[in-house]
Amino acid sequence: QYAGLLRDQPTTWAKTGAILTAGKAYDRAIAWLADWQTQSGVTPWMLLPLLDSYRATGQDDAALSLARFGRGANDPGDAGAVFAGWLALEAALHGQCDEANEHLVGIDPLGKSDGVKLILTMARVAIDVSEEGPEAFPDAQADLLAAIDACAPADRPPALGRWYLRLVSLLGQKGGWKAKLWAGWQKMKPALRD
């Protein structure tokens, strides 16, 4: 009934998508926000609910494309850091550490929300252990667990537990025998769940 009115202003359009995402109505949020490319006045923060909804429904390729677009806007706030963090994590999990590091250039976690810091920490941990091996694992593990503890479950992006398990697998492969044991335990009893 009010869809036309809500779509008229970019802010109400974006907030409606955010409410749908917060209510875990991910498919409805995706449908609502699907016209983002034709909406006028769209800024990066307005795309975060769509990014979360894509991730929550397993549409990682669509989320990656959206993150690339959002990162291109060079937003200095949480939105830019989220896009950079997801791109860096994706690249690091695929062994592309140079690309992952490039995504994090200029991103300062200071002052960012705990959910954003957690994504950035996951990316940094993947990079560090991939590049430095077992020597980096103890500090990386401590940083990762601290970031998880600092982030309330309500502040964690949807589907982050799935990405955490991918990260755990990488750490088990690259971080030496202690990391392999820890990864085995984390697969049974993960510190981060969806």
Side-chain angles (χ1 to χ4, degrees):
Q1 171 178 342
Y2 299 104
L5 184 63
L6 293 172
R7 285 188 184 281
D8 282 346
Q9 296 297 319
T11 302
T12 56
W13 167 83
K15 287 185 178 182
T16 301
I19 290 167
L20 291 168
T21 300
K24 299 183 189 225
Y26 301 120
D27 289 328
R28 290 183 67 196
I30 291 168
W32 178 262
L33 296 167
D35 63 344
W36 66 271
Q37 292 174 313
T38 60
Q39 280 286 335
S40 63
V42 173
T43 59
W45 72 265
M46 296 176 178
L47 299 175
L48 292 178
L50 183 57
L51 182 77
D52 285 346
S53 294
Y54 280 147
R55 293 264 185 230
T57 57
Q59 297 180 55
D60 294 330
D61 289 340
L64 190 59
S65 294
L66 186 64
R68 283 191 189 107
F69 175 84
R71 182 67 177 125
N74 292 319
D75 180 81
D78 274 11
V82 168
F83 294 129
W86 279 116
L87 290 169
L89 181 58
E90 175 80 19
L93 290 174
H94 284 95
Q96 301 162 340
C97 292
D98 289 342
E99 179 185 336
N101 276 313
E102 287 176 25
H103 289 302
L104 296 179
V105 169
I107 302 295
D108 185 359
L110 188 65
K112 303 291 188 263
S113 69
D114 290 335
V116 175
K117 288 179 185 175
L118 181 53
I119 296 168
L120 294 172
T121 299
M122 289 173 67
R124 177 53 49 206
V125 162
I127 295 166
D128 290 349
V129 173
S130 291
E131 289 182 336
E132 300 169 29
E135 300 81 36
F137 176 71
D139 287 341
Q141 178 191 31
D143 291 347
L144 178 59
L145 294 176
I148 291 169
D149 287 343
C151 187
D155 295 333
R156 296 174 186 162
L160 196 59
R162 178 167 49 93
W163 288 81
Y164 175 74
L165 291 176
R166 289 181 62 193
L167 174 59
V168 163
S169 291
L170 176 81
L171 298 178
Q173 293 167 12
K174 305 279 186 178
W177 69 269
K178 288 181 183 178
K180 186 173 271 193
L181 288 175
W182 178 78
W185 175 252
Q186 286 299 299
K187 288 176 184 176
M188 291 186 297
K189 193 171 171 123
L192 179 62
R193 298 174 189 264
D194 287 331

